């Protein structure tokens, strides 16, 4: 599913911008990384909110 979404994003970008088709694999890989990272971060955030631990997400703890 992630690969299909990345492919759709890459195809959309290639249709609407001037990108050489030889660069398609690079953009496809970039979108796969972006979507994977966003999915992971949002999953962690969702689990944290569900367990009422949103304050534990901060990297800097202000005491």
């Amino acid at each position: 599913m992630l690969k299909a979404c990345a492919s759709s994003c890459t195809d959309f970008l290639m249709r609407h911008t001037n990108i050489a088709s030889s660069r398609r694999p690079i953009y496809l890989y970039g979108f796969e990384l972006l979507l994977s990272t966003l999915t992971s971060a949002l999953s962690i955030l969702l689990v944290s909110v569900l367990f009422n631990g949103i304050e534990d997400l901060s990297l800097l703890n202000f005491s």
Side-chain angles (χ1 to χ4, degrees), residues 10 13-14 17-24 27:
T10 304
L13 188 65
M14 291 188 73
T17 60
N18 190 13
I19 298 173
S21 60
S22 62
R23 298 286 228 172
R24 188 180 191 284
Y27 283 92

Side-chain angles (χ1 to χ4, degrees), residues 10 13-14 17 20 24 30 33 35 41-42 52 54 60-61:
T10 304
L13 188 65
M14 291 188 73
T17 60
R24 188 180 191 284
L33 285 178
L35 293 173
L42 290 175
N52 203 13
I54 193 73
L60 301 172
N61 290 326

Side-chain angles (χ1 to χ4, degrees), residues 6-61:
S7 182
S8 296
C9 291
T10 304
D11 292 339
F12 177 82
L13 188 65
M14 291 188 73
R15 276 194 308 270
H16 295 311
T17 60
N18 190 13
I19 298 173
S21 60
S22 62
R23 298 286 228 172
R24 188 180 191 284
I26 296 168
Y27 283 92
L28 184 61
Y29 179 70
F31 276 118
E32 286 177 5
L33 285 178
L34 176 69
L35 293 173
S36 174
T37 302
L38 287 176
T39 302
S40 297
L42 290 175
S43 297
I44 291 169
L45 183 63
L46 178 65
V47 168
S48 179
V49 168
L50 288 175
F51 289 111
N52 203 13
I54 193 73
E55 62 274 353
D56 294 335
L57 282 177
S58 67
L59 295 175
L60 301 172
N61 290 326

